[in-house]
Amino acid sequence: MAAVGVGGSTAAAGAGAVSSGALEPGSTTAAHRRLKYISLAVLVVQNASLILSIRYARTLPGDRFFATTAVVMAEVLKGLTCLLLLFAQKRGNVKHLVLFLHEAVLVQYVDTLKLAVPSLIYTLQNNLQYVAISNLPAATFQVAHQGEGVVAAGLEDAGLSSFSLLALAQLGLNSYQY
């Protein structure tokens, strides 16, 4: 007896056979779509609340915190979160986690060095964002920041026509006028 897959291929029905109900790459279920939209909503709320909370904290009277300290602490929290997720992915096995990190960071050091330059630029960008949000109204900063993302995403996509790139650039420039 053979099971027919989505692509029309057949496989013997046995212990290793793939059932016809298995997800093929590119297919989505209602649960996956729901998770995608929930993730999007969480990211939107997180991004907006981050901007508003930074603006509020930076405009309070009194001593200000150093922007560099906030950026470093945010990166430390991101790093710890990644390590926690990797630890969970390795099913709590510390030995496997250490071996994976050794392989990914030290053995493949060229890839690690390739990530160093964008990381440093990203850190500089985050520090400059603190300067910008301290001196601009929150709405202006948010529009400019989102416009920058749209333009950057458009420039990375080689499939866009020159007219589309020009429209994206105009959108970015318009967001900075306010």
Side-chain angles (χ1 to χ4, degrees):
M1 179 175 173
V4 178
V6 176
S9 63
T10 59
V18 177
S19 69
S20 61
L23 283 178
E24 293 291 321
S27 68
T28 59
T29 63
H32 287 97
R33 283 192 302 274
R34 188 171 39 249
L35 181 62
K36 179 173 69 170
Y37 290 120
I38 289 171
S39 299
L40 178 63
V42 167
L43 286 173
V44 166
V45 169
Q46 183 264 338
N47 194 21
S49 63
L50 176 68
I51 300 303
L52 293 174
S53 62
I54 291 172
R55 174 72 180 159
Y56 176 74
R58 295 296 285 178
T59 56
L60 287 175
D63 293 338
R64 285 187 179 179
F65 57 88
F66 290 117
T68 52
T69 303
V71 169
V72 168
M73 289 308 298
E75 295 305 316
V76 167
L77 285 174
K78 288 178 192 176
L80 290 175
T81 303
C82 290
L83 285 174
L84 183 66
L85 290 172
L86 282 172
F87 185 68
Q89 186 181 26
K90 299 298 178 188
R91 292 185 165 70
N93 190 330
V94 177
K95 183 178 179 182
H96 287 154
L97 176 65
V98 170
L99 289 173
F100 174 78
L101 291 174
H102 179 267
E103 173 72 24
V105 176
L106 298 177
V107 174
Q108 297 175 4
Y109 69 93
V110 175
D111 291 338
T112 303
L113 291 176
K114 287 179 185 176
L115 291 174
V117 173
S119 298
L120 292 173
I121 293 170
Y122 178 71
T123 302
L124 175 65
Q125 177 189 6
N126 282 342
N127 281 300
L128 292 175
Q129 282 180 347
Y130 273 90
V131 173
I133 202 161
S134 298
N135 297 306
L136 291 172
T140 304
F141 175 80
Q142 186 72 359
V143 168
H145 184 63
Q146 295 303 322
E148 167 197 334
V150 169
V151 171
L155 293 176
E156 287 178 5
D157 186 9
L160 289 180
S161 68
S162 58
F163 179 75
S164 297
L165 289 175
L166 183 63
L168 283 171
Q170 183 64 39
L171 174 67
L173 291 174
N174 285 343
S175 68
Y176 286 108
Q177 286 181 352
Y178 300 104

